[in-house]
Amino acid sequence: MLVLSRKLEESIVIGDEIVVKVVKIRGNVVGLGIEAPNSVKIRRSELIDRDAAKAAQSLPESPASLPIDSAASPARNVESTLSTKAILTIAS
């Protein structure tokens, strides 16, 4: 992980199209402004963690509880969604 120090109104550039700027500092809270193309998905990590926890709660507790035709079951579809989400989260 790259760790940088920035002061108020200073910024960093990621690639050619993403700019992260310190716009506010209040106590131990830092406000960041992010300029990025609309195609770049920007989410707070705690929301990603919350969504993953909710999705994990909807999975069956044990493999024995899966239907025999697991390829067609809703649980299988949720599992596929989780795998895709985890890959997207890691990549972004």
Side-chain angles (χ1 to χ4, degrees):
M1 174 188 298
L2 174 64
V3 178
L4 300 171
S5 297
R6 300 281 75 202
K7 295 178 183 175
L8 188 61
E9 299 299 319
E10 291 183 337
S11 60
I12 60 169
V13 178
I14 302 170
D16 294 329
E17 299 179 320
I18 301 172
V19 178
V20 179
K21 183 176 185 178
V22 178
V23 295
K24 176 174 57 172
I25 302 173
R26 185 177 300 148
N28 64 348
V29 176
V30 177
L32 300 174
I34 303 170
E35 294 179 26
N38 289 336
S39 61
V40 175
K41 191 174 188 178
I42 302 171
R43 294 185 65 200
R44 297 187 334 232
S45 61
E46 65 272 15
L47 298 180
I48 294 169
D49 296 342
R50 182 198 65 195
D51 293 346
K54 282 183 181 179
Q57 288 176 353
S58 68
L59 292 175
E61 291 184 20
S62 69
S65 65
L66 286 174
I68 292 172
D69 184 12
S70 63
S73 76
R76 176 69 174 193
N77 292 335
V78 169
E79 187 175 83
S80 297
T81 302
L82 281 176
S83 298
T84 302
K85 183 173 219 153
I87 291 168
L88 292 174
T89 302
I90 291 168
S92 61

